[in-house]
Structures are given as C-alpha cells and as structure tokens.
Amino acid sequence: MTGGSAIAGLGELPLGSPALRADLPDRYLRMLRDPGAIAVYLAQVTGVRAGGGDGGLVAGLGESGLGEPVVAGVGQALSRTFRWATLHKSMRPGDGRLPNGFWDGLMATGPKLTRELPLTPEDSRRLRESFGELELGDGDRTLDALLAAYNIDGRELSFLFGPWDGDLEDFAEVGRVLIESPVTGGARALLEFRDATLGLDQVAQPLTFAGTGDGEGGDDLKDKPLPLAKGTVRFVSPPVEDSASDMRRAADRAFELLGAYDGAKALDVAGDWPSYAALKAATRGVAGSGADIEAGEIGTCLAEGWVRPGGQVFNALTLDIRCGATTLSGMALSALDDAGYGETARDSASWLEIDWGGGESGLYVSSDERLSTADLLDRITAAGDAWWGTDRRSLIVAGRLYDPDTLTAHLTLTSSDVATAKRDRYYAPRKSQTVTYARCYTPLSENQIATGATDVRKTFARQALRQVQPTFDTIASRHPQAFDAAAIAGLFDSQADALSLAQTRGTLWSRWWRSWWILAGRRGFEAKLGRCIAVEHPDLGRYSGRRFLVVGEQLTGSAAAILLRIARPIEK
C-alpha cells in the first residue's frame, strides 16, 4: 500500500479508536480472510562484517538481488541485510521497498513466540514472553558460509507475515527479537533469541554520586544513584550531599517545589539560584540577620535539583515536589524517554488507557534504591491495574484488563475459524486487594509535629498506616521507611482515585475466572492482546458464543494458524 489508510480488521482497534489504520496493508487483511490465500513468514536481520574492512570476502551465490551482476572476488559491504522466508520468494521489479529483492534461504519453520498478559493483580505487570529457536538455510544450498562472515549476535531480527505473492509493503511485522548465541557455518544456521526490549532492564538512574564532593557527595553517597522523581511526590527526604553547607539533592532533574517542611512546620522559600555553585555560595544566618537564606527558610536551585535550608533542621527536612507530568501515562512515557525508547519505539496512545481518575500521581526512588526502567513501569502500571509489554509491531504498549461482558466484541471466531479449544486453568477469587495511594511521608513522633501545620500534614505525619475498607478491598498507604530505609512514594495522591480503583479491582477479581487455549486459523491474527472477542466452539461448552478477553498468543511456526489464550469470569 503506497498511500491512504487501510480498513481496520475486526478486533484490531482499541475501544474508542478511529476506524481507519494506516499501518496494516489491505492485502494483509484480505489474506487473513481468504482461506485460499498462501501466507508466508519473512525474517530479516542486518549483519556487520566480522573484523570490518571492505575486501577479501568472495560473494556467495544469492548474495546480490535478482538482475544484479555477481562478480567473484569482489569484497562485500561492511553491513548486509539477510532475509529468509518459509517459502521460496523473491520480490517483483515494481516492489516499492525491495525491487528485485532476493530472499537468502528458507526457515525450517516459522517463528515460535509466546506472549501472555498478567492475569492476577499479584503478577508482574509486564507481558510474559518466550522465544523459540529458528533454523535457517542458505539460499544456494551450498557451503558458502556467507552468514558466518557477518556478526549478527545481539542484532535485531524482525519477523514479518503476509501474502506470499505480495510486495514487502503488504506484510505486517509480528515480532522483533534480539539474536543470542547464533550457531552459523555450512549451509545451516541456528538462532536463539531474547527480548528486544532488554534495555529496559538497565538501571533507571544512570547518574551516580562520585563521592568527590562539590556536588558529587561524600563517601556515604559514593556510587549511589541520584534520587529520581516523577509526577507529584510528597514528604520526600533529600539526601545531604555536603554536611558542611547542608546542600541536599532533591531530584536528578529540574523540579517544582510545592512545599518544604522541618517536621510538620512549613519553611518559607528564600529564593531560587541558577546553579549549584550559586546556591552553595549563598549566605545563611538566623532569622532577621539579612542573610540570603535565614533560619526557617529554604533556598533552591530548581533547574539542577538542589535545596538548602537556612539553618539547623530540628526534626526532618521533607519536601513536596513535582517533576514533569503527573498522570500515570505521562510518568511512564517520561521513563521510556529516559531509557531512549522514544515515539518510534512505543505506542504512546495506548499508554493513555492506564490513567485513572483526576488526581495527581507520583513516584520517587531514593538514592538507597536501584530500580530498572522495567521496575518503574511495573509500579506505574500496577497503580492503574494495567499491563505493559510489546505488541506484534514490537512497539512498547500498555493496556488494562476489563470484564469482557462490559465490552463490545470486535471479532467473532466461529467453529470454522477454531480447530480446538482446550481448558487451561482456573483463577480463584481475590477477596482482598491492596491499593496504595500516595502520600509519601516521613513518620514523626507527636512532639515533632509543630503547631501551625495543616491538618493534612499533621494527620499523615502522625500515622504510619492509613486504611479505608470498601467492598472486597483494603487500601493501605504506608511509608516504606517503616520497614525499609528506601523512601519510596506510592502512586496516587488522591484517596478517591485509589478507592475507585480498589472497588473496580474487587468487582473484577472477586469471581472465578477460567482461561482456554484455542487453535485459530489465520483469522485469529486479527485478535489482539487485551481486546474482547466472541468465540463459538462446542469445546467451550456453555460459554460458546460468549465474550472473552484475549490474554495470550503463540505463533506456532505455521503460517496457517495461531494459538490464542482467552479468559473470562465464570459461574461456579
């Protein structure tokens, strides 16, 4: 498809999305619905010449595109894209993306990838993914060892699916993985895979204190990460970077100060300085002394994440701060930006689905804790009772689980579309769920609570445990300092939002659930994880024709079928 928008397949779109999609070709959708069409998997990866250089490697048969000369003894390029298919295939001269393109060889089978949603509130919010190995053959069936001459370990391999007689633009991407430990040589190659979003498992706080002073902390902070804040967080305790000057690092980036307190007594803001050096050079003194920052005041360097009290802190210095977006989706997208996964690597619109209520949210990671970006996304999506992972286009996506009986089925699979339906497992009711709502606070004794503090401040400063008991659920907010030195905020700043989420969780998980695996034909590719479909099949018994959530999928290696895992509440 070279222009315009393709008509969306049933079950293709999230609720409320427009009916047109430009990312799925018309030929692809027609192939899914035509039982006589021949489908094929394609795989492609770009390798880099082993040892570099630009000469010395003899061209193998099939090295050049059709119609291009193959000159023996001519050195090959520094990088080369390898392509394989489940059926012999070459591209036509008029292909808009790969005219006369040649596919190097055959895959022994198609890809075997499994992706499953978390189906209980206790599970990690990240999709569970597993990858099978892939056996490849050279195009000329001779021992030219071309693939072995290129480094492909750790490179991205993309799987495409589409009509055998179609152009490359008629294919849809159905998976992307990283190659791990390839075994190459001779006429065969064996590839193993790992998750293409492996970078999300790296530490989310890449900057650490060097321990050299002058903004880098002392020995007590050496090699510890800078505190990280997202959204609105309250009652956070910034680490002391320099005890002599009482410089404290509030966040690893620019922030907005909403309030500063000594115990429960509010501190006035003396001013904002443009840099760490300027704030450190400011004078301090008792109240009325005329110093830049007097006792009972606090100075800030908002642009670089610093604060400095004007005098001795008698109880505990805590801050209410805001860093960037205060919605769950905004915090998650900011974390992805920090990790280098920008707009082209994610489906930002899908993340809007995790937002909950109208209150603000926040997340704070102290210098005593190291979290990966995946850990941050887990906490954020857990606060929205949501899930996250990668879709078939290898974009990072998010969504939420719903009772399928409250949704409209966007796809109906009948007995002609489903070969078998097998029971998978039961999920017992959860009568109690914990939902944290965020007032990150420092527990204080009664004599540390100053007069003149707000009632809210006093309440949260006194209590180490706060509970609301709706139907089915307990909402608890507890500062981790009560049992852990790491100061971590909860996520909701609104008790009403947390209560609403708790009640929704109670409604969703207070019943028995059951899941099934169904072997579907090509129409099953129109079903998407997290979406609602109707399934008619005698093996489903009394649930035949009912609505289900798609909670898992497995590419079986066959271009004719896909395994779908479906689930719904049941009467028991």
Side-chain angles (χ1 to χ4, degrees):
M1 185 180 68
T2 57
S5 298
I7 301 299
L10 295 177
E12 169 66 20
L13 302 177
L15 294 180
S17 296
L20 296 179
R21 284 282 293 269
D23 58 347
L24 283 181
D26 294 309
R27 285 287 307 276
Y28 173 80
L29 295 173
R30 291 201 302 269
M31 175 209 66
L32 295 183
R33 299 165 189 174
D34 180 2
I38 301 175
V40 61
Y41 280 111
L42 305 179
Q44 57 186 16
V45 61
T46 298
V48 178
R49 272 285 306 280
D54 59 359
L57 183 65
V58 176
L61 296 177
E63 166 70 7
S64 303
L66 294 181
E68 298 178 8
V70 178
V71 182
V74 174
Q76 302 305 302
L78 184 62
S79 64
R80 181 191 190 280
T81 298
F82 292 90
R83 299 179 176 91
W84 299 271
T86 48
L87 292 174
H88 283 293
K89 180 172 178 59
S90 59
M91 313 311 291
R92 66 184 183 88
D95 190 302
R97 295 185 184 175
L98 192 66
N100 294 321
F102 184 82
W103 295 82
D104 296 283
L106 291 177
M107 294 182 270
T109 62
K112 296 180 180 179
L113 310 176
T114 301
R115 297 160 58 238
E116 295 184 64
L117 297 181
L119 252 187
T120 66
E122 296 82 8
D123 290 338
S124 166
R125 299 293 90 197
R126 189 175 188 175
L127 288 179
R128 295 187 297 273
E129 299 181 281
S130 61
F131 315 102
E133 60 188 21
L134 187 66
E135 187 177 359
L136 308 171
D138 279 341
D140 53 17
R141 301 290 185 174
T142 63
L143 302 179
D144 60 17
L146 183 62
L147 181 60
Y150 286 80
N151 290 325
I152 60 172
D153 194 6
R155 309 286 290 185
E156 279 192 343
L157 183 141
S158 175
F159 289 111
L160 307 176
F161 184 58
W164 174 77
D165 57 348
D167 292 342
L168 190 59
E169 59 193 10
D170 296 325
F171 283 72
E173 188 174 43
V174 293
R176 186 177 298 179
V177 293
L178 295 180
I179 296 175
E180 184 174 55
S181 305
V183 179
T184 60
R188 313 294 290 176
L190 187 66
L191 307 183
E192 295 181 354
F193 305 120
R194 57 184 174 177
D195 190 353
T197 57
L198 191 66
L200 295 177
D201 294 316
Q202 303 301 311
V203 175
Q205 309 134 276
L207 301 178
T208 60
F209 290 103
T212 57
D214 201 22
E216 293 293 343
D219 290 339
D220 58 330
L221 289 178
K222 184 178 180 180
D223 296 329
K224 288 187 176 182
L226 273 59
L228 181 147
K230 293 193 179 297
T232 299
V233 288
R234 301 182 185 275
F235 296 77
V236 298
S237 302
V240 178
E241 181 271 333
D242 177 44
S243 57
S245 60
D246 210 5
M247 292 288 291
R248 305 185 185 217
R249 190 69 188 249
D252 66 340
R253 65 197 66 203
F255 71 99
E256 178 185 353
L257 182 65
L258 305 179
Y261 303 84
D262 179 355
K265 182 180 180 181
L267 301 177
D268 296 325
V269 178
D272 183 55
W273 280 258
S275 66
Y276 168 88
L279 179 59
K280 188 174 182 179
T283 59
R284 300 197 304 165
V286 299
S289 65
D292 294 332
I293 312 172
E294 298 181 352
E297 295 181 333
I298 192 168
T300 64
C301 174
L302 300 178
E304 297 181 5
W306 295 95
V307 297
R308 187 186 184 198
Q312 180 182 354
V313 175
F314 293 97
N315 297 303
L317 177 66
T318 59
L319 310 174
D320 295 348
I321 64 176
R322 180 181 293 130
C323 287
T326 61
T327 60
L328 296 177
S329 63
M331 292 159 53
L333 295 177
S334 173
L336 288 171
D337 284 335
D338 292 347
Y341 291 83
E343 288 294 332
T344 59
R346 68 195 189 215
D347 182 351
S348 296
S350 71
W351 284 88
L352 299 178
E353 191 174 338
I354 75 172
D355 288 335
W356 195 276
E360 295 186 338
S361 304
L363 179 64
Y364 185 78
V365 184
S366 78
S367 294
D368 294 315
E369 189 178 23
R370 292 179 184 269
L371 294 183
S372 68
T373 302
D375 292 331
L376 297 185
L377 296 178
D378 257 1
R379 292 191 180 187
I380 293 169
T381 48
D385 204 28
W387 55 267
W388 70 276
T390 55
D391 68 2
R392 292 180 192 162
R393 298 166 293 167
S394 301
L395 298 179
I396 302 172
V397 297
R400 181 180 286 126
L401 296 177
Y402 299 93
D403 182 344
D405 288 332
T406 66
L407 303 176
T408 300
H410 284 259
L411 172 68
T412 297
L413 298 178
T414 66
S415 295
S416 61
D417 303 310
V418 177
T420 59
K422 295 183 179 180
R423 293 180 186 176
D424 181 31
R425 58 173 296 188
Y426 288 104
Y427 297 87
R430 268 76 174 166
K431 294 299 184 182
S432 177
Q433 298 296 329
T434 298
V435 176
T436 301
Y437 87 94
R439 293 274 185 168
C440 178
Y441 61 92
T442 301
L444 302 174
S445 63
E446 190 70 28
N447 61 5
Q448 291 177 316
I449 299 176
T451 58
T454 65
D455 290 339
V456 170
R457 195 81 186 183
K458 288 181 179 179
T459 299
F460 277 89
R462 285 194 185 103
Q463 294 183 349
L465 184 65
R466 185 172 176 83
Q467 292 184 335
V468 179
Q469 187 80 37
T471 308
F472 307 118
D473 288 77
T474 297
I475 299 177
S477 177
R478 182 167 183 166
H479 194 286
Q481 283 183 345
F483 50 87
D484 191 310
I488 310 166
L491 290 172
F492 286 118
D493 191 41
S494 162
Q495 178 180 332
D497 284 349
L499 179 60
S500 177
L501 174 59
Q503 291 171 333
T504 300
R505 271 192 175 183
T507 302
L508 189 64
W509 297 112
S510 62
R511 294 173 291 170
W512 284 89
W513 280 65
R514 180 192 282 175
S515 62
W516 294 258
W517 280 102
I518 62 173
L519 180 62
R522 281 206 302 268
R523 286 211 69 203
F525 281 91
E526 295 186 53
K528 301 296 182 183
L529 285 181
R531 303 307 171 198
C532 177
I533 66 173
V535 183
E536 300 172 4
H537 195 276
D539 290 347
L540 296 174
R542 58 177 168 167
Y543 299 106
S544 178
R546 304 281 285 274
R547 281 169 281 182
F548 300 83
L549 287 182
V550 180
V551 296
E553 64 179 12
Q554 179 180 330
L555 303 184
T556 63
S558 167
I562 183 173
L563 272 170
L564 297 175
R565 190 176 183 220
I566 57 176
R568 64 162 289 110
I570 61 172
E571 301 84 28
K572 187 174 181 179

